[in-house]
Every structure is written in C-alpha cells, then in structure tokens.
Amino acid sequence: ERSQLKWLKWLQRVKQDEVVNFTRQLSTMITAGLPMTEGLSILELQSSVGMAGVVGEVLRDVEGGASLADSLAKQKKVFSEVYVALVRAGEAAGVLDQVLKRLADTMEKQREFRNKTKGALIYPAIVLTGMVIVGIVMMVFVVPRLTVMYADFGAALPLPTRILMAVSGLMAKWWWLMALAAAWIVGGFKAWSKTAVGAVQVDRIMFRIPIVGPLRQELLFTEFSRT
C-alpha cells in the first residue's frame, strides 16, 4: 500500500492548505503527548494521496532514526527552508509543539492574505482577459475584412494603418506559430525565474513596481519579523 502511495503522489500536487493542516494537526498531537511516529502514522492515513506519500516518507525516515527536520528537508517541494529551519530550532529547544503551532498560524495568515489578494484581482483579470480576446478577434477576423475593403478603394493609407494591417495579416496566417512562441517565452521565463540569478532579477523588478513593490517589501519584513 505504501509503495502504491509513493507512485501515486507524483500524480497529485500537494496544496499549501494540506501543509497547513498537517502542521496544525501534528502540533496538536505532540501537545497531547502522542509519540511522533504514531502521530505521523495517523496523519498519513488521514491525508490525501499526494500528502500521504510525503508523510509516509517522513515517517519512514523518523522511524529510521532521523530527526523530523532532516526528514522534512528531503521534501523540498513541500516544505520550505524556513519551515525546516524552524522545526530544527524547535527540536533543539524542546518546544516543537509551539513552533509548529506558530508555523500553522503564520501559514494561515499567509493563506488568508493570498485569498484576499486573489479575490481583489478577479475582476481586473476578467477585464484584461476580455480585452485580450477582443483584440485577438479584431486582429484575426475584423481587420482582414477591412483590409480587403480598403484595397478595393485603392486609397493611400496612413503608415499606422498599414502597420496594423500587416500585423493583422501576420497573425491571421501564423497565429499557431505565435501561440507556440508565446508559450515558449512564458515557459522559459518561468524556468529562468526559478534559478538563483533569475529569482534575484525578478525580485528586483517586483520591488520597483509602484504599489506592488512597497507592499511586497512590507509583507517580507512582516514574515521576517514574525519568524
């Protein structure tokens, strides 16, 4: 059964909410005096497929003599370096239950803020998406019809109009190539932003954006101070 979970966990991404619930429940179990291995066993059974696979591996490492922090450190895609460092500090000081409780509180505050931010951005995102769709429809279907009409007139068109028609003709003919190029650019940017150099450059750009930059700095300072 555990071997099946190990393979199935790759089919389901672990959500941040699951990490929050895991942290909160593990803190409660440790506070109640439950042994670490027993608590992890219960959480493995209660978690979703993806999270159960992660908890199962952590449980096996702990049963093998590793500390909880070392076990969590192997799951880099689920637990951040700060998370692991705080767990390690909690184990060393003998206050692991308190550290896990504060971790859960912090992550819940982050989740709440993230949900509020997403809710505030829904309407602008819908408007922006609608504008992009309308623009594409205009360039691919409407402008080519106008191009044919103007060609029948034989009138000399301004340079901006000629540029617009040329771009429209290019999009109507090579839309699939442009879609592939856009997907390649977005994928390449995401991969680059995950590198050490790319992450620093992206952060520098984010910090320079009006409103967003100062807000991001305040959030980071808040998390730093709380940690």
Side-chain angles (χ1 to χ4, degrees), residues 154-170:
L157 300 175
L159 179 61
T161 304
R162 295 200 302 269
I163 294 175
L164 179 64
M165 290 181 173
V167 173
S168 174
L170 189 64

Side-chain angles (χ1 to χ4, degrees), residues 8 17 22 27 30 64 68-69 81 85 91 104 122 128 134 143 164 209 225:
L8 288 174
D17 291 349
F22 165 81
S27 171
I30 295 176
L68 179 62
E81 294 183 5
E91 287 182 309
I122 287 178
L128 182 60
V134 170
V143 175
L164 179 64
I209 298 177
S225 302

Side-chain angles (χ1 to χ4, degrees), residues 24-151:
R24 175 75 67 190
Q25 292 172 359
L26 184 59
S27 171
T28 302
M29 292 178 181
I30 295 176
T31 303
L34 210 63
M36 178 68 67
T37 54
E38 187 174 348
L40 291 173
S41 299
I42 296 174
L43 292 176
E44 181 184 10
L45 296 175
Q46 294 179 349
S47 302
S48 63
V49 175
M51 192 64 189
V54 173
V55 176
E57 291 189 7
V58 172
L59 173 59
R60 287 191 292 275
D61 290 336
V62 172
E63 289 175 338
S67 65
L68 179 62
D70 291 338
S71 303
L72 297 176
K74 296 181 179 180
Q75 310 296 329
K76 296 181 179 180
K77 294 183 178 180
V78 180
F79 303 101
S80 65
E81 294 183 5
V82 174
Y83 188 106
V84 174
L86 288 174
V87 170
R88 195 183 307 279
E91 287 182 309
V95 289
L96 180 59
D97 56 335
Q98 298 179 29
V99 169
L100 289 174
K101 181 179 181 300
R102 293 201 176 186
L103 264 173
D105 292 339
T106 299
M107 288 189 292
E108 285 179 351
K109 292 179 181 178
Q110 292 173 348
R111 178 177 59 183
E112 182 181 357
F113 178 80
R114 185 169 59 250
N115 291 337
K116 288 182 179 180
T117 303
K118 289 181 179 179
L121 293 177
I122 287 178
Y123 178 72
I126 293 175
V127 173
L128 182 60
T129 302
M131 292 175 60
V132 171
I133 293 175
V134 170
I136 293 175
V137 171
M138 291 287 293
M139 295 296 290
V140 175
F141 298 103
V142 179
V143 175
R145 294 177 181 271
L146 297 177
T147 302
V148 175
M149 183 179 66
Y150 284 131

